[in-house]
Structure formats: C-alpha cells, structure tokens
Amino acid sequence: MKKILMSVPNISEGVRKDVVEQVADAVRQIQGVKLIDYSSDADHNRSVFTYLGEPEAVLEAGKALALKTFELIDMNVHKGGHPRIGALDVVPFVPIHGVDVSEAIEISRRFGKFLGDYNVPVYYYEQSATRPERESLPNIRKGEYEGLPGKLSDPAWLPDEGPAVFNPRTGATVTGARYPLIAFNVNLNTTNIEIANKIAKAVRYINGGYRYVRAMGVALDDKGMVQVSMNMINYTKTPLPRVLETIRSEAARYGVSVAGTEIVGTIPLGALEEIVRHYMQAHEFELGQIIENSLLE
Amino acid sequence: MKKILMSVPNISEGVRKDVVEQVADAVRQIQGVKLIDYSSDADHNRSVFTYLGEPEAVLEAGKALALKTFELIDMNVHKGGHPRIGALDVVPFVPIHGVDVSEAIEISRRFGKFLGDYNVPVYYYEQSATRPERESLPNIRKGEYEGLPGKLSDPAWLPDEGPAVFNPRTGATVTGARYPLIAFNVNLNTTNIEIANKIAKAVRYINGGYRYVRAMGVALDDKGMVQVSMNMINYTKTPLPRVLETIRSEAARYGVSVAGTEIVGTIPLGALEEIVRHYMQAHEFELGQIIENSLLE
C-alpha cells in the first residue's frame, strides 16, 4: 500500500496574491506531491496549504515552501488578526494512509532540523513535542511574534531546534506530527440546549469523557434542533462509532433521538475502516479490500 | 472525480502459461489501465483478468486482450471443466467509481460491435441484455461451445452483434455491464442450520426477499456456527446495511445473534458510502470527503 502523508502549513501572508501563488508553485514543483487545496484570509493575513504525497516528497515540499516563504515574507511588517509566531507559522505533518505516527514524527524532526540550520527557532508540538507544555499550539504561540525575543531568553522556552536568538525576519516555526482532525456533529431532535451541553460534557475529555474528543453544545435555531459539535482529534484511539453510540445512549436518557450527523470537510479512509468493522461487525475488514485502493499503490 | 471502470474478462486458457502471460501483456501495454489481478485454473482451463481504468482505456484494453486471445487460442482444441461458449468467453464491464451503469453499457456495446466486426458472434448479458432471457450468463451459455452451431441457427438466439455463423476458432463472446458483486457472509451464534436457511430465504430474491440478494445457509462446523452466505449483486439498490439489519431482526426471532460478518474479497468504495450514511446517520456524507479520493482524480 502506498504511504500517504499530508501537510497543512500556515504562512503569515494572506493579502499579496502573488506571494501566495509563488509559495503554491514551490510546492507544485516537487514531484510526487499533490497540492489539493490552498486558501487565504486577508483579515487574518494568513494562508493555508494542503498537500499529500509519500513522506519523503512531502518533506521536500515543506522545505521548498519554507525557503520561498522566508524569501518573500518579512515578519517585521506583518499585521493580521490571527495569532502567529512566525512567517512559516505552523507546519503539521498528518499520517493519512499506511503511515505510522512515528514516521510522521521523524519527518517533522528532519524538517525542524532543516529550519534550525537556517537559523529559524523551531518548537515541536503535538505528537512531536519534547515536553508536555509544548503539546498545545496555543501554548507555544502565547505572546506571539512580538513576544518571541522574551520567550527565547526564557530557559523554559529554549527552542527545540535552531538558535535561541530572535530572527526578526522569520520569527519562529512550530512543527510536528498530529493525527487527522475530523469535525463531527450530531444533531438532536430537541431545542433544549442544556441536553446538548450535558452530552458534550459526557463525551469530551476535559469533563471525564473520551480522551480524543473536544465537544460543545450548539443551538441550531434554523433547524429547531441542538447539536453536539465535536472535533475528533485521534480517530484511531477514539473511533467515531463509539462516541456516536455514547451520544445515542445519553440522548435516550432524555427521551431524545439523533436526527442526523454531519462529517464536516475531509475524513481519512482509515476512519471508515472502523465504521465498517463496528457497525457491520466485519471484524476482519481491511482497507486493502477496497477496489479503488489498488490505484493508490 | 476520476472515472473508474473495471473489466474482468474470462478466457478459455488456463494451462499454457505463456499464452496467459502474452494476454496479460496485451493489457499492460494500454496506458491508463492497471492490471490488478490475473489467475488461471488448469482444471477449468480458464483464466480471469481484472483491470481498472478510465472507461475509454478499459475499452482499449478489452480490444487488445480480445485480439491476443483470438490469435493464441483455438476453441477447436479446447477442453476444460468450466462451462464456456468461446475463446473470449465473457467480458463484464463493471462501474466502480464515478461511472454510471449507462456508461458501462455503452462501452460494452462498443466492445461488442468491435468483436462483431471481427466475425465473432456476440451476446449482450446482464445490464446490456437486449431481451430478458439473455440477462443470465448461464442461460446464454447453455449448450456451450459445442452447441453453438445449433444455437446460431435458432432465430431466438440470433447474436446481438456479428454474423449468425459459427466461427469454430473463436466461438462466441458474452459481454455486458454488470454491477460489482460483493460476497457478504453473516455468521450466527447457533449450530442450527435450519435458522440460517430460513433467514437466507427471508432475504433472497427468489423467495420474496430483496431483489439483488442471492443467499444460502451454510454450516460452519469448525466454528460451531452457521452462516448466511450471500452475493450482493447490486449494492446501489439493495445496500448491505439494510440486509444486515433484516438478518439481525430475523435472527432475533429465534433468540440468535450475529457473531460477525465477512466481506470476502473486494468491495467498491461506493458500498462504504451507504454504510457510513446508514449507521452514522450521516445523511449528506459523500465519497468526495475522503482525503485519499483526491489522489484518484
């Protein structure tokens, strides 16, 4: 089976279209990488690129994107509404297909060393974090670019790669491996937001629920329903069917049923494997049985 | 989304490996077609090839395979344990991904005309059949190659393409569009074969069940279970979850539960779409949301 790694770099430029296009071109020029999406937000002054490929090709694309970003973006003059710590703000590596998270971590470390050699301070986050307080991106990014000189002089925030020296042009970069995030919403046949909030608390990690679930209750006034809105941050360890069944069970306590669910945006094929195994009781089902899979090899 | 058509030709040669290899090479030489499997049965003296690609490329591969087959196989000297009516015995075209059955039918008709121009009598079957009694492959193949001269002189069995003249070297060819077949078995927590037989009758077409289900009860002595063994012959119209739920309900009548299921061999991604929609209640879920799908485009 072909290995597929995804990367979703965020850069601090969302206004100058020619800059965004040149960065996109840098990715397109790497053989074996497919740029599947990129978009810019002018208010945030930020762009996000999504591309897929074999791990080594994705690493090369990251390097090409980084060099082009540092060439064209100067953080000295950057303003924007979204938190950011550098020109190449964050570069996640996401295992999609036939890739272990350990391999994604290794790729992120090689990428981090490359940036460090380029005199960019680097912090590893999520699965690549070197200490617990660096797992969270918001935690690392606290103080942002403007606070970076102070951060780098704090022994607790020595960078994982590169010099502990403020690079005013590039700022710092956060990189690491993370699991694919699945946005999964469950709509309930009630207008009672309290029920959605209670169920969100039942399933989410911070209140004692599943380890890899973030959840909140949301009123859907136009539908006359409420929703448990979730981010599933590791479908391999907290699979969707298990969480959905818990929600069905909790909802039934209140005489409420599930009207429908929404998988928002993209989902890796691997998440479907567990859905088939669970609900079809197809204990031995494997993605390799899917006919189209042979075209990914 | 890329269009993917599959073809699974059966040829009347399963002994001479060099012939089988030359036929496989004829397919491999067509750009845009991927030969994903081929295998031979010496007792049946028969080989089956499976390949995928865009519809036009699959049509070209079929023509190349046909010409090589007619060059190397002489039905005058063919003996084998499997029913057959010609050197290129049957050529199904199977819509897998982004292809309507109407497009597969059109491809099969263009393939049939190509063979007819080559003086091979052609019968269209399954979705491409020109009359009801030609839908079934066993029906068309009755009498086999040896009975073909008589068949061709019967006005009811005028070929759909090509001359109504016996071609002793090639025999006839059956071609047409058919849906992907999914082999789906449901294991029951009982040793009572009667229960498996009753449930098989409940779900299968011939006894009043679902239109696109073939089913039989099977004893799994080594497991101490029985099985409802099924062929799902049109998952788009009779989806797997609906049949599984009926089996669960029927089994419960006897106090029996489903121990597990088996999806045997390959399954098109499209069949998973309905599994996700049904069990997750994800009414709007589409295959286009699968990240890997973008690599098929």
Side-chain angles (χ1 to χ4, degrees):
Chain A
M1 190 189 289
K2 186 174 175 175
K3 289 180 175 185
I4 303 172
L5 186 67
M6 182 167 78
S7 190
V8 194
N10 289 235
I11 68 167
S12 292
E13 177 58 66
V15 177
R16 293 180 295 159
K17 295 292 172 201
D18 61 310
V19 169
V20 175
E21 281 305 319
Q22 286 183 68
V23 173
D25 281 341
V27 172
R28 289 192 187 102
Q29 277 160 27
I30 304 300
Q31 205 169 11
V33 163
K34 184 155 184 180
L35 179 65
I36 61 171
D37 191 41
Y38 64 108
S39 62
S40 302
D41 185 306
D43 292 335
H44 290 175
N45 198 5
R46 185 177 181 86
S47 299
V48 56
F49 302 82
T50 305
Y51 46 84
L52 302 171
E54 296 263 0
E56 292 295 331
V58 168
L59 175 59
E60 289 312 305
K63 291 177 182 175
L65 176 140
L67 294 179
K68 189 54 75 178
T69 295
F70 297 142
E71 177 193 330
L72 299 177
I73 298 176
D74 182 354
M75 285 303 287
N76 286 294
V77 296
H78 183 268
K79 289 195 186 334
H82 192 287
R84 78 284 181 266
I85 199 171
L88 180 60
D89 192 51
V90 55
V91 183
F93 292 95
V94 186
I96 296 294
H97 197 101
V99 176
D100 281 337
V101 70
S102 59
E103 190 169 358
I105 292 171
E106 189 220 318
I107 293 285
S108 75
R109 292 272 164 77
R110 287 166 59 196
F111 183 64
K113 283 189 179 59
F114 172 84
L115 298 180
D117 291 345
Y118 199 81
N119 288 327
V120 177
V122 171
Y123 295 103
Y124 292 126
Y125 84 137
E126 291 263 354
Q127 302 295 315
S128 303
T130 54
R131 50 195 95 173
E133 67 272 20
R134 295 189 182 186
E135 285 175 10
S136 146
L137 177 60
N139 228 22
I140 297 175
R141 216 157 40 186
K142 207 172 288 173
E144 299 194 39
Y145 168 78
E146 287 73 12
L148 192 54
K151 192 165 212 150
L152 287 165
S153 63
D154 177 351
W157 285 100
L158 285 178
D160 292 309
E161 305 286 353
V165 175
F166 182 58
N167 182 332
R169 182 172 175 86
T170 65
T173 294
V174 183
T175 187
R178 67 162 172 80
Y179 286 94
L181 185 149
I182 301 168
F184 180 48
N185 300 330
V186 177
N187 298 342
L188 303 174
N189 275 321
T190 177
T191 54
N192 187 340
I193 185 68
E194 283 309 308
I195 292 176
N197 287 335
K198 279 181 184 165
I199 295 176
K201 282 183 188 169
V203 296
R204 72 187 178 196
Y205 176 61
I206 52 166
N207 293 94
Y210 290 108
R211 177 157 174 188
Y212 296 106
V213 176
R214 294 179 189 141
M216 57 186 280
V218 175
L220 304 179
D221 293 328
D222 54 326
K223 291 189 176 177
M225 293 183 188
V226 296
Q227 180 180 83
V228 182
S229 177
M230 292 177 285
N231 277 329
M232 308 292 298
I233 59 177
N234 185 340
Y235 71 86
T236 68
K237 294 186 177 162
T238 303
L240 275 62
R242 191 171 298 150
V243 177
L244 176 56
E245 288 307 304
T246 302
I247 291 174
R248 282 175 174 153
S249 160
E250 292 289 322
R253 290 172 55 177
Y254 307 105
V256 168
S257 62
V258 171
T261 75
E262 302 163 358
I263 296 166
V264 183
T266 60
I267 183 168
L269 196 52
L272 268 58
E273 186 177 58
E274 183 59 19
I275 293 172
V276 173
R277 287 183 178 183
H278 182 111
Y279 284 115
M280 301 292 290
Q281 295 179 258
H283 311 304
E284 313 287 330
F285 175 72
E286 291 184 349
L287 298 183
Q289 294 179 251
I290 298 172
I291 295 173
E292 287 91 328
N293 235 14
S294 59
L295 296 178
L296 296 177
E297 283 172 348
Chain B
M1 190 188 290
K2 187 175 173 174
K3 288 181 175 185
I4 303 173
L5 186 68
M6 181 168 78
S7 189
V8 195
N10 288 236
I11 68 167
S12 292
E13 177 59 66
V15 177
R16 293 180 295 160
K17 295 292 173 201
D18 60 311
V19 169
V20 175
E21 282 304 321
Q22 286 183 68
V23 172
D25 282 341
V27 172
R28 289 191 187 103
Q29 278 159 26
I30 304 300
Q31 205 169 11
V33 163
K34 184 155 184 179
L35 179 66
I36 61 171
D37 192 42
Y38 62 109
S39 61
S40 303
D41 185 307
D43 293 335
H44 289 174
N45 197 7
R46 184 178 182 86
S47 298
V48 56
F49 302 81
T50 306
Y51 46 84
L52 301 172
E54 296 263 1
E56 293 295 330
V58 168
L59 174 59
E60 289 311 306
K63 291 177 181 176
L65 176 140
L67 294 178
K68 190 53 76 177
T69 296
F70 297 142
E71 176 192 332
L72 299 176
I73 299 177
D74 182 354
M75 285 304 287
N76 286 295
V77 296
H78 183 269
K79 289 196 185 336
H82 192 286
R84 78 285 180 265
I85 199 171
L88 180 60
D89 192 50
V90 56
V91 184
F93 292 94
V94 186
I96 295 296
H97 197 100
V99 177
D100 282 338
V101 71
S102 59
E103 190 168 359
I105 291 171
E106 189 221 316
I107 293 285
S108 75
R109 292 272 164 78
R110 287 167 59 196
F111 182 64
K113 283 188 179 60
F114 172 84
L115 298 181
D117 291 344
Y118 199 81
N119 288 328
V120 177
V122 171
Y123 294 103
Y124 291 126
Y125 85 137
E126 292 263 355
Q127 302 295 316
S128 303
T130 54
R131 49 195 97 174
E133 67 271 21
R134 295 188 182 186
E135 285 175 11
S136 146
L137 177 61
N139 228 22
I140 296 174
R141 216 158 43 187
K142 207 171 289 173
E144 298 195 39
Y145 168 78
E146 288 74 11
L148 192 54
K151 192 164 213 151
L152 288 167
S153 63
D154 178 351
W157 285 100
L158 286 177
D160 291 309
E161 306 286 354
V165 176
F166 182 58
N167 181 332
R169 183 172 174 87
T170 65
T173 294
V174 182
T175 187
R178 68 161 172 82
Y179 286 93
L181 186 149
I182 301 168
F184 180 49
N185 301 329
V186 178
N187 298 342
L188 303 174
N189 275 321
T190 176
T191 54
N192 186 340
I193 185 68
E194 283 309 308
I195 292 176
N197 288 334
K198 280 181 184 167
I199 294 176
K201 283 183 186 170
V203 296
R204 73 188 178 196
Y205 177 60
I206 52 166
N207 293 95
Y210 290 109
R211 177 155 175 189
Y212 297 105
V213 176
R214 295 180 188 139
M216 58 187 280
V218 176
L220 303 179
D221 293 328
D222 54 326
K223 291 190 176 176
M225 292 184 188
V226 297
Q227 179 179 84
V228 182
S229 177
M230 291 177 286
N231 277 329
M232 308 291 298
I233 59 176
N234 186 342
Y235 71 87
T236 68
K237 294 187 176 162
T238 303
L240 275 63
R242 191 170 298 151
V243 177
L244 176 56
E245 288 308 303
T246 302
I247 292 174
R248 282 177 175 151
S249 160
E250 293 289 321
R253 289 173 55 178
Y254 308 105
V256 168
S257 63
V258 171
T261 76
E262 303 163 359
I263 296 166
V264 182
T266 60
I267 184 168
L269 195 52
L272 269 59
E273 187 178 58
E274 182 59 19
I275 293 172
V276 173
R277 288 183 177 184
H278 182 112
Y279 284 116
M280 302 292 289
Q281 296 179 255
H283 310 304
E284 312 287 329
F285 175 71
E286 290 185 349
L287 298 182
Q289 294 180 251
I290 298 172
I291 295 172
E292 287 91 327
N293 235 13
S294 59
L295 295 178
L296 297 176
E297 283 170 349

